[in-house]
Amino acid sequence: QVQLVESGGDLVQAGGSLRLSCAASGSILSRNAVGWYRQALGKQRELVASITSGGSTNYADFVKGRFTISRDGAQNTVLLQMNSLKPEDTAVYYCNVRTVINVEGAYVDLWGQGTQVTVSS
C-alpha cells in the first residue's frame, strides 16, 4: 500500500523559513494532484497549497507570496517552501493525494501522518 511521508517540520522563529517534503513510493505523486493542508490545535484542517499533475498551482490567500509548492521529479517528492513564517502558521502540515477513480469524479484521498511546524514569536 502506498504511503505518504512528510518531513521537514521544525521549530523556527517568526520570519524564518522551512521546506517541507512529501515523499511516496512509485509514481502516485506525479500522476495526481497533491495538496498541502494544515491543522492548528483546535481548528479545522485547511488547504494551504495544491499542485496538479500538469503543474498548475493554487494557494490559500493567507500564504500567497510566502509559500511555494513544487515538484521534484528526480526525487519523486512534492515540496512546500515556506518563507516569512508567522506564529499563526503553527500547525501540523499534511500531504494529500487525491486520486479520481471514475468519470463521475469520485475520488480517494490519501493522507500522510503530518509534520509539526512551530513558529515562535
Side-chain angles (χ1 to χ4, degrees):
Q1 184 176 354
V2 177
Q3 290 184 321
L4 302 180
V5 179
E6 301 100 331
S7 61
D10 205 344
L11 170 63
V12 64
Q13 288 188 335
S17 298
L18 284 175
R19 188 175 73 171
L20 305 184
S21 177
C22 175
S25 59
S27 59
I28 190 171
L29 293 178
S30 61
R31 292 187 287 109
N32 296 282
V34 179
W36 280 99
Y37 289 72
R38 71 186 188 187
Q39 187 166 18
L41 195 61
K43 296 187 177 181
Q44 289 189 330
R45 192 171 297 189
E46 58 185 358
L47 177 65
V48 174
S50 63
I51 186 167
T52 67
S53 57
S56 297
T57 58
N58 179 60
Y59 297 93
D61 286 343
F62 52 79
V63 302
K64 282 182 180 177
R66 299 189 298 125
F67 291 11
T68 302
I69 189 171
S70 63
R71 294 182 183 278
D72 183 339
Q75 299 295 325
N76 196 27
T77 58
V78 173
L79 306 173
L80 184 68
Q81 178 66 43
M82 305 187 297
N83 299 327
S84 302
L85 283 162
K86 305 174 182 180
E88 51 263 44
D89 293 319
T90 295
V92 178
Y93 284 70
Y94 297 90
C95 180
N96 165 267
V97 171
R98 174 161 292 182
T99 302
V100 177
I101 59 174
N102 64 28
V103 295
E104 285 79 26
Y107 59 85
V108 174
D109 276 334
L110 180 64
W111 295 93
Q113 83 289 348
T115 186
Q116 177 70 48
V117 172
T118 303
V119 184
S120 63
S121 57

mmCIF file of all heavy atoms in Angstrom, residues 30-84:
data_model
loop_
_atom_site.group_PDB
_atom_site.id
_atom_site.type_symbol
_atom_site.label_atom_id
_atom_site.label_comp_id
_atom_site.label_asym_id
_atom_site.label_seq_id
_atom_site.Cartn_x
_atom_site.Cartn_y
_atom_site.Cartn_z
ATOM 1 N N SER A 30 3.369 12.051 -8.992
ATOM 2 C CA SER A 30 3.471 12.693 -10.306
ATOM 3 C C SER A 30 2.198 12.528 -11.124
ATOM 4 O O SER A 30 1.943 13.335 -12.019
ATOM 5 C CB SER A 30 4.668 12.131 -11.076
ATOM 6 O OG SER A 30 4.516 10.742 -11.277
ATOM 7 N N ARG A 31 1.388 11.509 -10.830
ATOM 8 C CA ARG A 31 0.201 11.229 -11.635
ATOM 9 C C ARG A 31 -1.059 11.912 -11.124
ATOM 10 O O ARG A 31 -2.085 11.897 -11.808
ATOM 11 C CB ARG A 31 -0.038 9.722 -11.706
ATOM 12 C CG ARG A 31 1.006 8.961 -12.482
ATOM 13 C CD ARG A 31 0.625 7.499 -12.652
ATOM 14 N NE ARG A 31 0.755 6.756 -11.408
ATOM 15 C CZ ARG A 31 -0.259 6.307 -10.683
ATOM 16 N NH1 ARG A 31 -1.505 6.555 -11.061
ATOM 17 N NH2 ARG A 31 -0.047 5.634 -9.581
ATOM 18 N N ASN A 32 -0.997 12.480 -9.928
ATOM 19 C CA ASN A 32 -2.203 13.028 -9.300
ATOM 20 C C ASN A 32 -1.970 14.429 -8.745
ATOM 21 O O ASN A 32 -0.829 14.848 -8.547
ATOM 22 C CB ASN A 32 -2.635 12.119 -8.140
ATOM 23 C CG ASN A 32 -3.031 10.751 -8.607
ATOM 24 O OD1 ASN A 32 -4.117 10.529 -9.115
ATOM 25 N ND2 ASN A 32 -2.106 9.796 -8.447
ATOM 26 N N ALA A 33 -3.072 15.103 -8.474
ATOM 27 C CA ALA A 33 -2.975 16.380 -7.776
ATOM 28 C C ALA A 33 -2.524 16.120 -6.344
ATOM 29 O O ALA A 33 -2.937 15.149 -5.715
ATOM 30 C CB ALA A 33 -4.327 17.077 -7.776
ATOM 31 N N VAL A 34 -1.680 16.996 -5.858
ATOM 32 C CA VAL A 34 -1.147 16.877 -4.496
ATOM 33 C C VAL A 34 -1.406 18.180 -3.760
ATOM 34 O O VAL A 34 -1.216 19.264 -4.312
ATOM 35 C CB VAL A 34 0.364 16.587 -4.517
ATOM 36 C CG1 VAL A 34 0.909 16.495 -3.096
ATOM 37 C CG2 VAL A 34 0.641 15.304 -5.280
ATOM 38 N N GLY A 35 -1.837 18.054 -2.544
ATOM 39 C CA GLY A 35 -2.094 19.245 -1.741
ATOM 40 C C GLY A 35 -1.388 19.190 -0.408
ATOM 41 O O GLY A 35 -1.120 18.110 0.122
ATOM 42 N N TRP A 36 -1.052 20.371 0.084
ATOM 43 C CA TRP A 36 -0.586 20.513 1.462
ATOM 44 C C TRP A 36 -1.709 21.154 2.265
ATOM 45 O O TRP A 36 -2.250 22.192 1.874
ATOM 46 C CB TRP A 36 0.658 21.385 1.534
ATOM 47 C CG TRP A 36 1.930 20.682 1.178
ATOM 48 C CD1 TRP A 36 2.579 20.707 -0.013
ATOM 49 C CD2 TRP A 36 2.699 19.844 2.039
ATOM 50 N NE1 TRP A 36 3.715 19.934 0.056
ATOM 51 C CE2 TRP A 36 3.816 19.394 1.303
ATOM 52 C CE3 TRP A 36 2.575 19.431 3.369
ATOM 53 C CZ2 TRP A 36 4.779 18.546 1.831
ATOM 54 C CZ3 TRP A 36 3.534 18.587 3.904
ATOM 55 C CH2 TRP A 36 4.627 18.159 3.144
ATOM 56 N N TYR A 37 -2.043 20.525 3.372
ATOM 57 C CA TYR A 37 -3.050 21.034 4.286
ATOM 58 C C TYR A 37 -2.391 21.272 5.643
ATOM 59 O O TYR A 37 -1.310 20.759 5.919
ATOM 60 C CB TYR A 37 -4.188 20.016 4.463
ATOM 61 C CG TYR A 37 -5.075 19.853 3.268
ATOM 62 C CD1 TYR A 37 -4.642 19.199 2.113
ATOM 63 C CD2 TYR A 37 -6.385 20.346 3.271
ATOM 64 C CE1 TYR A 37 -5.465 19.044 1.013
ATOM 65 C CE2 TYR A 37 -7.227 20.190 2.178
ATOM 66 C CZ TYR A 37 -6.758 19.535 1.059
ATOM 67 O OH TYR A 37 -7.580 19.398 -0.025
ATOM 68 N N ARG A 38 -3.072 22.015 6.469
ATOM 69 C CA ARG A 38 -2.574 22.176 7.826
ATOM 70 C C ARG A 38 -3.737 22.182 8.801
ATOM 71 O O ARG A 38 -4.867 22.530 8.451
ATOM 72 C CB ARG A 38 -1.751 23.453 7.961
ATOM 73 C CG ARG A 38 -2.550 24.740 7.901
ATOM 74 C CD ARG A 38 -1.607 25.935 7.909
ATOM 75 N NE ARG A 38 -2.319 27.210 8.030
ATOM 76 C CZ ARG A 38 -1.718 28.397 7.924
ATOM 77 N NH1 ARG A 38 -0.402 28.469 7.694
ATOM 78 N NH2 ARG A 38 -2.427 29.505 8.056
ATOM 79 N N GLN A 39 -3.420 21.796 10.017
ATOM 80 C CA GLN A 39 -4.426 21.801 11.068
ATOM 81 C C GLN A 39 -3.787 22.310 12.345
ATOM 82 O O GLN A 39 -2.883 21.666 12.898
ATOM 83 C CB GLN A 39 -5.009 20.405 11.277
ATOM 84 C CG GLN A 39 -6.174 20.378 12.247
ATOM 85 C CD GLN A 39 -6.943 19.072 12.197
ATOM 86 O OE1 GLN A 39 -6.456 18.060 11.703
ATOM 87 N NE2 GLN A 39 -8.179 19.091 12.691
ATOM 88 N N ALA A 40 -4.237 23.465 12.765
ATOM 89 C CA ALA A 40 -3.780 24.028 14.027
ATOM 90 C C ALA A 40 -4.612 23.446 15.162
ATOM 91 O O ALA A 40 -5.736 22.966 14.959
ATOM 92 C CB ALA A 40 -3.900 25.544 14.000
ATOM 93 N N LEU A 41 -4.067 23.507 16.355
ATOM 94 C CA LEU A 41 -4.741 22.951 17.525
ATOM 95 C C LEU A 41 -6.109 23.587 17.703
ATOM 96 O O LEU A 41 -6.232 24.816 17.742
ATOM 97 C CB LEU A 41 -3.885 23.178 18.762
ATOM 98 C CG LEU A 41 -4.238 22.364 20.003
ATOM 99 C CD1 LEU A 41 -4.086 20.877 19.707
ATOM 100 C CD2 LEU A 41 -3.372 22.773 21.175
ATOM 101 N N GLY A 42 -7.138 22.751 17.754
ATOM 102 C CA GLY A 42 -8.487 23.241 17.957
ATOM 103 C C GLY A 42 -9.165 23.801 16.732
ATOM 104 O O GLY A 42 -10.283 24.328 16.828
ATOM 105 N N LYS A 43 -8.529 23.689 15.588
ATOM 106 C CA LYS A 43 -9.105 24.225 14.358
ATOM 107 C C LYS A 43 -9.285 23.133 13.323
ATOM 108 O O LYS A 43 -8.728 22.049 13.433
ATOM 109 C CB LYS A 43 -8.219 25.346 13.808
ATOM 110 C CG LYS A 43 -8.132 26.566 14.722
ATOM 111 C CD LYS A 43 -7.395 27.695 14.039
ATOM 112 C CE LYS A 43 -7.365 28.939 14.926
ATOM 113 N NZ LYS A 43 -6.652 30.076 14.255
ATOM 114 N N GLN A 44 -10.059 23.453 12.305
ATOM 115 C CA GLN A 44 -10.284 22.502 11.228
ATOM 116 C C GLN A 44 -9.087 22.467 10.277
ATOM 117 O O GLN A 44 -8.341 23.444 10.149
ATOM 118 C CB GLN A 44 -11.545 22.876 10.444
ATOM 119 C CG GLN A 44 -12.838 22.640 11.215
ATOM 120 C CD GLN A 44 -14.061 22.813 10.334
ATOM 121 O OE1 GLN A 44 -14.045 23.584 9.388
ATOM 122 N NE2 GLN A 44 -15.112 22.087 10.641
ATOM 123 N N ARG A 45 -8.920 21.337 9.630
ATOM 124 C CA ARG A 45 -7.873 21.217 8.625
ATOM 125 C C ARG A 45 -8.220 22.119 7.441
ATOM 126 O O ARG A 45 -9.368 22.185 7.004
ATOM 127 C CB ARG A 45 -7.750 19.768 8.181
ATOM 128 C CG ARG A 45 -6.516 19.461 7.357
ATOM 129 C CD ARG A 45 -6.360 17.961 7.149
ATOM 130 N NE ARG A 45 -6.150 17.253 8.418
ATOM 131 C CZ ARG A 45 -5.823 15.965 8.483
ATOM 132 N NH1 ARG A 45 -5.662 15.257 7.379
ATOM 133 N NH2 ARG A 45 -5.664 15.394 9.662
ATOM 134 N N GLU A 46 -7.204 22.811 6.919
ATOM 135 C CA GLU A 46 -7.434 23.731 5.814
ATOM 136 C C GLU A 46 -6.386 23.548 4.728
ATOM 137 O O GLU A 46 -5.242 23.173 5.007
ATOM 138 C CB GLU A 46 -7.409 25.186 6.317
ATOM 139 C CG GLU A 46 -6.132 25.608 6.996
ATOM 140 C CD GLU A 46 -6.202 27.007 7.588
ATOM 141 O OE1 GLU A 46 -7.241 27.685 7.447
ATOM 142 O OE2 GLU A 46 -5.198 27.432 8.198
ATOM 143 N N LEU A 47 -6.791 23.828 3.510
ATOM 144 C CA LEU A 47 -5.884 23.721 2.372
ATOM 145 C C LEU A 47 -4.894 24.879 2.390
ATOM 146 O O LEU A 47 -5.287 26.038 2.543
ATOM 147 C CB LEU A 47 -6.665 23.732 1.062
ATOM 148 C CG LEU A 47 -5.839 23.700 -0.219
ATOM 149 C CD1 LEU A 47 -5.078 22.389 -0.346
ATOM 150 C CD2 LEU A 47 -6.728 23.926 -1.428
ATOM 151 N N VAL A 48 -3.634 24.555 2.204
ATOM 152 C CA VAL A 48 -2.578 25.568 2.131
ATOM 153 C C VAL A 48 -2.191 25.827 0.680
ATOM 154 O O VAL A 48 -2.157 26.960 0.227
ATOM 155 C CB VAL A 48 -1.348 25.122 2.934
ATOM 156 C CG1 VAL A 48 -0.200 26.101 2.753
ATOM 157 C CG2 VAL A 48 -1.694 24.943 4.404
ATOM 158 N N ALA A 49 -1.911 24.759 -0.049
ATOM 159 C CA ALA A 49 -1.491 24.887 -1.439
ATOM 160 C C ALA A 49 -1.699 23.559 -2.134
ATOM 161 O O ALA A 49 -1.707 22.502 -1.484
ATOM 162 C CB ALA A 49 -0.021 25.302 -1.529
ATOM 163 N N SER A 50 -1.854 23.616 -3.452
ATOM 164 C CA SER A 50 -2.018 22.388 -4.215
ATOM 165 C C SER A 50 -1.341 22.537 -5.570
ATOM 166 O O SER A 50 -1.123 23.653 -6.053
ATOM 167 C CB SER A 50 -3.487 22.033 -4.391
ATOM 168 O OG SER A 50 -4.160 23.029 -5.133
ATOM 169 N N ILE A 51 -1.025 21.394 -6.156
ATOM 170 C CA ILE A 51 -0.410 21.369 -7.471
ATOM 171 C C ILE A 51 -1.015 20.219 -8.252
ATOM 172 O O ILE A 51 -1.171 19.110 -7.739
ATOM 173 C CB ILE A 51 1.128 21.245 -7.359
ATOM 174 C CG1 ILE A 51 1.778 21.363 -8.733
ATOM 175 C CG2 ILE A 51 1.543 19.962 -6.654
ATOM 176 C CD1 ILE A 51 3.291 21.576 -8.677
ATOM 177 N N THR A 52 -1.402 20.496 -9.501
ATOM 178 C CA THR A 52 -1.992 19.456 -10.328
ATOM 179 C C THR A 52 -0.899 18.610 -10.963
ATOM 180 O O THR A 52 0.290 18.947 -10.918
ATOM 181 C CB THR A 52 -2.860 20.070 -11.432
ATOM 182 O OG1 THR A 52 -2.003 20.775 -12.351
ATOM 183 C CG2 THR A 52 -3.902 21.018 -10.856
ATOM 184 N N SER A 53 -1.318 17.535 -11.610
ATOM 185 C CA SER A 53 -0.343 16.696 -12.297
ATOM 186 C C SER A 53 0.330 17.464 -13.431
ATOM 187 O O SER A 53 1.465 17.161 -13.798
ATOM 188 C CB SER A 53 -1.014 15.437 -12.830
ATOM 189 O OG SER A 53 -2.090 15.780 -13.699
ATOM 190 N N GLY A 54 -0.353 18.479 -13.947
ATOM 191 C CA GLY A 54 0.214 19.291 -15.014
ATOM 192 C C GLY A 54 1.073 20.430 -14.522
ATOM 193 O O GLY A 54 1.696 21.141 -15.323
ATOM 194 N N GLY A 55 1.097 20.631 -13.210
ATOM 195 C CA GLY A 55 1.955 21.669 -12.648
ATOM 196 C C GLY A 55 1.265 22.960 -12.262
ATOM 197 O O GLY A 55 1.915 23.886 -11.763
ATOM 198 N N SER A 56 -0.037 23.052 -12.470
ATOM 199 C CA SER A 56 -0.756 24.259 -12.055
ATOM 200 C C SER A 56 -0.853 24.293 -10.538
ATOM 201 O O SER A 56 -1.079 23.269 -9.899
ATOM 202 C CB SER A 56 -2.160 24.276 -12.657
ATOM 203 O OG SER A 56 -2.089 24.335 -14.059
ATOM 204 N N THR A 57 -0.690 25.481 -9.993
ATOM 205 C CA THR A 57 -0.677 25.619 -8.538
ATOM 206 C C THR A 57 -1.806 26.511 -8.045
ATOM 207 O O THR A 57 -2.324 27.358 -8.787
ATOM 208 C CB THR A 57 0.658 26.201 -8.061
ATOM 209 O OG1 THR A 57 0.870 27.472 -8.697
ATOM 210 C CG2 THR A 57 1.811 25.273 -8.399
ATOM 211 N N ASN A 58 -2.154 26.306 -6.802
ATOM 212 C CA ASN A 58 -3.192 27.093 -6.159
ATOM 213 C C ASN A 58 -2.789 27.305 -4.705
ATOM 214 O O ASN A 58 -2.239 26.391 -4.075
ATOM 215 C CB ASN A 58 -4.533 26.359 -6.225
ATOM 216 C CG ASN A 58 -5.645 27.134 -5.553
ATOM 217 O OD1 ASN A 58 -5.955 28.243 -5.947
ATOM 218 N ND2 ASN A 58 -6.241 26.559 -4.517
ATOM 219 N N TYR A 59 -3.037 28.518 -4.201
ATOM 220 C CA TYR A 59 -2.632 28.848 -2.841
ATOM 221 C C TYR A 59 -3.779 29.473 -2.061
ATOM 222 O O TYR A 59 -4.580 30.232 -2.614
ATOM 223 C CB TYR A 59 -1.460 29.844 -2.857
ATOM 224 C CG TYR A 59 -0.213 29.308 -3.491
ATOM 225 C CD1 TYR A 59 0.050 29.514 -4.839
ATOM 226 C CD2 TYR A 59 0.720 28.584 -2.742
ATOM 227 C CE1 TYR A 59 1.196 29.003 -5.427
ATOM 228 C CE2 TYR A 59 1.875 28.080 -3.316
ATOM 229 C CZ TYR A 59 2.098 28.292 -4.668
ATOM 230 O OH TYR A 59 3.235 27.789 -5.248
ATOM 231 N N ALA A 60 -3.807 29.180 -0.785
ATOM 232 C CA ALA A 60 -4.725 29.893 0.094
ATOM 233 C C ALA A 60 -4.252 31.334 0.210
ATOM 234 O O ALA A 60 -3.047 31.614 0.152
ATOM 235 C CB ALA A 60 -4.750 29.243 1.474
ATOM 236 N N ASP A 61 -5.194 32.238 0.377
ATOM 237 C CA ASP A 61 -4.845 33.660 0.431
ATOM 238 C C ASP A 61 -3.838 33.942 1.544
ATOM 239 O O ASP A 61 -2.975 34.813 1.390
ATOM 240 C CB ASP A 61 -6.105 34.498 0.651
ATOM 241 C CG ASP A 61 -6.965 34.575 -0.600
ATOM 242 O OD1 ASP A 61 -6.444 34.265 -1.700
ATOM 243 O OD2 ASP A 61 -8.144 34.937 -0.500
ATOM 244 N N PHE A 62 -3.935 33.213 2.637
ATOM 245 C CA PHE A 62 -3.082 33.535 3.779
ATOM 246 C C PHE A 62 -1.624 33.110 3.593
ATOM 247 O O PHE A 62 -0.781 33.403 4.443
ATOM 248 C CB PHE A 62 -3.651 32.941 5.080
ATOM 249 C CG PHE A 62 -3.975 31.482 5.019
ATOM 250 C CD1 PHE A 62 -2.982 30.519 5.126
ATOM 251 C CD2 PHE A 62 -5.283 31.063 4.862
ATOM 252 C CE1 PHE A 62 -3.284 29.175 5.082
ATOM 253 C CE2 PHE A 62 -5.606 29.714 4.804
ATOM 254 C CZ PHE A 62 -4.602 28.758 4.905
ATOM 255 N N VAL A 63 -1.298 32.420 2.494
ATOM 256 C CA VAL A 63 0.101 32.050 2.238
ATOM 257 C C VAL A 63 0.617 32.589 0.909
ATOM 258 O O VAL A 63 1.797 32.415 0.596
ATOM 259 C CB VAL A 63 0.323 30.525 2.277
ATOM 260 C CG1 VAL A 63 -0.097 29.963 3.618
ATOM 261 C CG2 VAL A 63 -0.391 29.834 1.129
ATOM 262 N N LYS A 64 -0.230 33.237 0.144
ATOM 263 C CA LYS A 64 0.208 33.755 -1.156
ATOM 264 C C LYS A 64 1.375 34.718 -0.982
ATOM 265 O O LYS A 64 1.360 35.595 -0.129
ATOM 266 C CB LYS A 64 -0.955 34.449 -1.863
ATOM 267 C CG LYS A 64 -1.934 33.498 -2.515
ATOM 268 C CD LYS A 64 -3.047 34.242 -3.246
ATOM 269 C CE LYS A 64 -4.007 33.274 -3.895
ATOM 270 N NZ LYS A 64 -5.145 33.971 -4.560
ATOM 271 N N GLY A 65 2.387 34.498 -1.813
ATOM 272 C CA GLY A 65 3.570 35.340 -1.744
ATOM 273 C C GLY A 65 4.593 34.869 -0.739
ATOM 274 O O GLY A 65 5.723 35.384 -0.716
ATOM 275 N N ARG A 66 4.224 33.923 0.107
ATOM 276 C CA ARG A 66 5.159 33.422 1.128
ATOM 277 C C ARG A 66 5.524 31.953 0.924
ATOM 278 O O ARG A 66 6.655 31.548 1.193
ATOM 279 C CB ARG A 66 4.556 33.586 2.524
ATOM 280 C CG ARG A 66 4.241 35.020 2.912
ATOM 281 C CD ARG A 66 3.861 35.134 4.374
ATOM 282 N NE ARG A 66 2.663 34.370 4.709
ATOM 283 C CZ ARG A 66 2.600 33.452 5.673
ATOM 284 N NH1 ARG A 66 3.670 33.170 6.395
ATOM 285 N NH2 ARG A 66 1.464 32.820 5.929
ATOM 286 N N PHE A 67 4.558 31.156 0.473
ATOM 287 C CA PHE A 67 4.769 29.719 0.303
ATOM 288 C C PHE A 67 4.805 29.375 -1.180
ATOM 289 O O PHE A 67 4.113 30.000 -2.004
ATOM 290 C CB PHE A 67 3.650 28.924 0.953
ATOM 291 C CG PHE A 67 3.611 28.973 2.464
ATOM 292 C CD1 PHE A 67 4.393 29.860 3.201
ATOM 293 C CD2 PHE A 67 2.767 28.113 3.152
ATOM 294 C CE1 PHE A 67 4.336 29.889 4.576
ATOM 295 C CE2 PHE A 67 2.703 28.124 4.538
ATOM 296 C CZ PHE A 67 3.488 29.019 5.241
ATOM 297 N N THR A 68 5.573 28.345 -1.516
ATOM 298 C CA THR A 68 5.649 27.856 -2.885
ATOM 299 C C THR A 68 5.589 26.338 -2.884
ATOM 300 O O THR A 68 6.379 25.688 -2.180
ATOM 301 C CB THR A 68 6.935 28.309 -3.571
ATOM 302 O OG1 THR A 68 7.016 29.744 -3.549
ATOM 303 C CG2 THR A 68 6.965 27.839 -5.022
ATOM 304 N N ILE A 69 4.673 25.800 -3.662
ATOM 305 C CA ILE A 69 4.574 24.349 -3.820
ATOM 306 C C ILE A 69 5.207 23.969 -5.154
ATOM 307 O O ILE A 69 5.062 24.679 -6.148
ATOM 308 C CB ILE A 69 3.097 23.874 -3.739
ATOM 309 C CG1 ILE A 69 3.025 22.346 -3.682
ATOM 310 C CG2 ILE A 69 2.262 24.428 -4.890
ATOM 311 C CD1 ILE A 69 1.629 21.823 -3.374
ATOM 312 N N SER A 70 5.934 22.856 -5.150
ATOM 313 C CA SER A 70 6.604 22.440 -6.381
ATOM 314 C C SER A 70 6.835 20.942 -6.352
ATOM 315 O O SER A 70 6.705 20.295 -5.317
ATOM 316 C CB SER A 70 7.937 23.175 -6.535
ATOM 317 O OG SER A 70 8.814 22.848 -5.471
ATOM 318 N N ARG A 71 7.179 20.424 -7.512
ATOM 319 C CA ARG A 71 7.514 19.014 -7.621
ATOM 320 C C ARG A 71 9.002 18.870 -7.864
ATOM 321 O O ARG A 71 9.598 19.644 -8.608
ATOM 322 C CB ARG A 71 6.767 18.385 -8.806
ATOM 323 C CG ARG A 71 5.271 18.337 -8.646
ATOM 324 C CD ARG A 71 4.645 17.652 -9.863
ATOM 325 N NE ARG A 71 3.198 17.642 -9.800
ATOM 326 C CZ ARG A 71 2.492 16.771 -9.121
ATOM 327 N NH1 ARG A 71 3.114 15.812 -8.445
ATOM 328 N NH2 ARG A 71 1.173 16.835 -9.098
ATOM 329 N N ASP A 72 9.580 17.863 -7.242
ATOM 330 C CA ASP A 72 10.955 17.482 -7.527
ATOM 331 C C ASP A 72 10.881 16.127 -8.193
ATOM 332 O O ASP A 72 10.827 15.091 -7.542
ATOM 333 C CB ASP A 72 11.759 17.405 -6.230
ATOM 334 C CG ASP A 72 13.225 17.076 -6.484
ATOM 335 O OD1 ASP A 72 13.526 16.535 -7.569
ATOM 336 O OD2 ASP A 72 14.062 17.361 -5.622
ATOM 337 N N GLY A 73 10.848 16.152 -9.523
ATOM 338 C CA GLY A 73 10.646 14.920 -10.262
ATOM 339 C C GLY A 73 11.731 13.887 -10.019
ATOM 340 O O GLY A 73 11.460 12.691 -9.944
ATOM 341 N N ALA A 74 12.956 14.364 -9.876
ATOM 342 C CA ALA A 74 14.055 13.432 -9.679
ATOM 343 C C ALA A 74 13.913 12.658 -8.379
ATOM 344 O O ALA A 74 14.293 11.487 -8.287
ATOM 345 C CB ALA A 74 15.381 14.183 -9.708
ATOM 346 N N GLN A 75 13.383 13.325 -7.355
ATOM 347 C CA GLN A 75 13.235 12.691 -6.052
ATOM 348 C C GLN A 75 11.835 12.140 -5.833
ATOM 349 O O GLN A 75 11.561 11.567 -4.785
ATOM 350 C CB GLN A 75 13.568 13.709 -4.951
ATOM 351 C CG GLN A 75 14.979 14.236 -5.008
ATOM 352 C CD GLN A 75 16.001 13.155 -4.735
ATOM 353 O OE1 GLN A 75 15.782 12.251 -3.932
ATOM 354 N NE2 GLN A 75 17.125 13.226 -5.440
ATOM 355 N N ASN A 76 10.950 12.369 -6.803
ATOM 356 C CA ASN A 76 9.557 11.943 -6.671
ATOM 357 C C ASN A 76 8.966 12.474 -5.374
ATOM 358 O O ASN A 76 8.398 11.724 -4.557
ATOM 359 C CB ASN A 76 9.428 10.420 -6.727
ATOM 360 C CG ASN A 76 7.995 9.986 -6.973
ATOM 361 O OD1 ASN A 76 7.206 10.721 -7.565
ATOM 362 N ND2 ASN A 76 7.645 8.803 -6.501
ATOM 363 N N THR A 77 9.108 13.763 -5.169
ATOM 364 C CA THR A 77 8.563 14.397 -3.989
ATOM 365 C C THR A 77 7.814 15.671 -4.369
ATOM 366 O O THR A 77 7.986 16.200 -5.479
ATOM 367 C CB THR A 77 9.662 14.778 -2.985
ATOM 368 O OG1 THR A 77 10.598 15.659 -3.634
ATOM 369 C CG2 THR A 77 10.402 13.555 -2.468
ATOM 370 N N VAL A 78 7.000 16.133 -3.461
ATOM 371 C CA VAL A 78 6.353 17.433 -3.595
ATOM 372 C C VAL A 78 6.813 18.281 -2.417
ATOM 373 O O VAL A 78 6.745 17.832 -1.266
ATOM 374 C CB VAL A 78 4.824 17.301 -3.616
ATOM 375 C CG1 VAL A 78 4.174 18.679 -3.578
ATOM 376 C CG2 VAL A 78 4.382 16.559 -4.872
ATOM 377 N N LEU A 79 7.281 19.461 -2.732
ATOM 378 C CA LEU A 79 7.871 20.330 -1.732
ATOM 379 C C LEU A 79 6.953 21.502 -1.415
ATOM 380 O O LEU A 79 6.185 21.957 -2.268
ATOM 381 C CB LEU A 79 9.208 20.864 -2.241
ATOM 382 C CG LEU A 79 10.219 19.817 -2.709
ATOM 383 C CD1 LEU A 79 11.423 20.495 -3.336
ATOM 384 C CD2 LEU A 79 10.631 18.927 -1.552
ATOM 385 N N LEU A 80 7.070 21.971 -0.189
ATOM 386 C CA LEU A 80 6.397 23.210 0.207
ATOM 387 C C LEU A 80 7.453 24.107 0.844
ATOM 388 O O LEU A 80 7.891 23.849 1.963
ATOM 389 C CB LEU A 80 5.253 22.948 1.180
ATOM 390 C CG LEU A 80 4.447 24.197 1.562
ATOM 391 C CD1 LEU A 80 3.650 24.708 0.347
ATOM 392 C CD2 LEU A 80 3.495 23.907 2.720
ATOM 393 N N GLN A 81 7.867 25.111 0.098
ATOM 394 C CA GLN A 81 8.818 26.086 0.610
ATOM 395 C C GLN A 81 8.040 27.165 1.347
ATOM 396 O O GLN A 81 7.164 27.803 0.756
ATOM 397 C CB GLN A 81 9.628 26.695 -0.525
ATOM 398 C CG GLN A 81 10.615 27.763 -0.083
ATOM 399 C CD GLN A 81 11.730 27.203 0.786
ATOM 400 O OE1 GLN A 81 12.275 26.139 0.492
ATOM 401 N NE2 GLN A 81 12.079 27.916 1.849
ATOM 402 N N MET A 82 8.365 27.357 2.598
ATOM 403 C CA MET A 82 7.633 28.312 3.422
ATOM 404 C C MET A 82 8.583 29.401 3.893
ATOM 405 O O MET A 82 9.547 29.108 4.624
ATOM 406 C CB MET A 82 7.008 27.595 4.623
ATOM 407 C CG MET A 82 6.130 26.418 4.245
ATOM 408 S SD MET A 82 5.230 25.715 5.649
ATOM 409 C CE MET A 82 6.593 25.151 6.662
ATOM 410 N N ASN A 83 8.334 30.612 3.462
ATOM 411 C CA ASN A 83 9.151 31.759 3.837
ATOM 412 C C ASN A 83 8.330 32.744 4.663
ATOM 413 O O ASN A 83 7.103 32.691 4.671
ATOM 414 C CB ASN A 83 9.696 32.453 2.598
ATOM 415 C CG ASN A 83 10.586 31.560 1.755
ATOM 416 O OD1 ASN A 83 11.296 30.699 2.285
ATOM 417 N ND2 ASN A 83 10.541 31.748 0.451
ATOM 418 N N SER A 84 9.027 33.636 5.323
ATOM 419 C CA SER A 84 8.367 34.676 6.130
ATOM 420 C C SER A 84 7.320 34.074 7.055
ATOM 421 O O SER A 84 6.172 34.535 7.117
ATOM 422 C CB SER A 84 7.727 35.724 5.208
ATOM 423 O OG SER A 84 8.689 36.309 4.356
#
